[in-house]
Amino acid sequence: MGVFDTIGTERHQSVHFGADPDTGLRSIIAIHSTVLGPALGGTRFYPYASEENALYDVLRLAKGMTYKAACAGLALGGGKAVIIGDPATSGTDDLFRSYGRFVDGLGGQYITAEDVGTTVADMEVVATRTDHVRGLTIEHGGSGDPSPATARGVVVAQKAVATMLWGSEDLTGTRVAIKGVGKVGMSLARRLSALGADVIVADVNPAATELASVELGVKVVDVDEIHHVECEIFAPCALGGDLNERSIPELRCIAVVGSANNQLATEPDGDRLRAAGILYAPDFVVNAGGIINIAAEQGGYSIEKAAVMIDRIFDNLTEILTTADRLDIGTHTAAEHVAEERIAAAAALEAERDLGT
Ligand code: NAD
């Protein structure tokens, strides 16, 4: 398939290529949609095996951002950027300044932030060349580390699921198995312990489980066991792909509500969970606290303002779960449905305005 067909398949709005031989910059910015607002998405710095792989990844990620922002009810569109290379050897300040000029040239249609392979410090260099950067440190006028905000959103989502399933958002005594107690998982474990939930954790990093066990007194199990611990909620907070053909039959939870991106290994795994009678809260709805925190920078950031915005995940997720019930479809499909409806409604308004002028 040619580049134009590739871009057209998922209806991406535009794709931009930036190169600077002096700094070694080779970057692609994909804008999937700006119907709801400027396209926000982080910059991934990765040694892609080929330019084709980089293009495929940026297109996929940009589309995901459109759905994430729409489901979160934000006035933001979806976009993403990739820089091809090894951040450890190629991520120089010169390269990030050059990248900043590239982002600036898009005039604010695309707003960047950190992602895999880039850091807040890198984004501060980018910010010397463009205003279209978010997620800087609080001292630099940004919203700082998004992980606590993401964890807050996960708890809110778990309360929405508890309300749906058991008629109360009270998580006291609820058994929650957390896979991965890193930045988000540990913050989640702290919040849940404070709410009186019964937390069980696992992590490949013994220092992480040690901290959780010593600080919170939670139960630690082996990483190969955590997904089949008997519990009400399984919370994947490590890497993607935890919900797959092999793991789903072994799950002994009632619902899956966690922060990890791309939890479903494949699309049919959403249907597998449904057939197994397990309620799956779509990952990109549950983990939207981070992007909502960034959106809260608009007009001046405060933790209180961000918290109010993050707590709307409760209603957003409830709408998606009820849509799934009403249409008798999987929750993942229902999330896409809700996002598409919101985008279509905004596009219709725009068309009406155009006709009026
Ligand atoms: P992190 O790197 O701080 O934590 C991940 C933890 O998972 C680490 O402690 C790691 O040791 C552990 N881990 C890795 N592989 C594992 C395995 N096979 N079994 C058990 N544990 C394993 O990352 P994070 O920022 O906490 O993010 C966690 C997940 O949430 C990621 O999938 C990330 O993409 C997603 N997410 C994070 C944010 C955020 O604000 N940080 C926002 C949205 C989504």
Side-chain angles (χ1 to χ4, degrees), residues 4 7 31 59 65 70 105 118 122 130 133 135 143 168 198 201 204 229 242 284 295 297 305 320 336 345:
F4 286 104
I7 294 169
I31 296 178
L59 291 173
M65 291 308 293
T118 56
D122 298 333
T130 181
V133 189
S143 49
S168 161
D198 184 0
V201 305
V204 283
V229 158
D242 270 332
F284 63 92
E297 290 180 15
K305 173 179 154 193
I320 287 159
E336 290 181 0

Side-chain angles (χ1 to χ4, degrees), residues 68 145-148 150 179-185 202-205 208 223 236-240 242 259-261 287-288 290:
K68 189 173 200 162
D145 177 9
S147 310
T150 303
K179 179 170 178 177
V181 269
K183 292 192 292 292
V184 178
D203 197 294
V204 283
N205 177 3
V223 282
C237 295
L239 306 177
D242 270 332
S259 78
N261 274 313
N287 70 20

Side-chain angles (χ1 to χ4, degrees), residues 298-313:
Q298 183 71 30
Y301 179 79
S302 78
I303 289 184
E304 296 73 24
K305 173 179 154 193
V308 170
M309 290 169 70
I310 291 164
D311 290 354
R312 291 186 199 133
I313 289 179

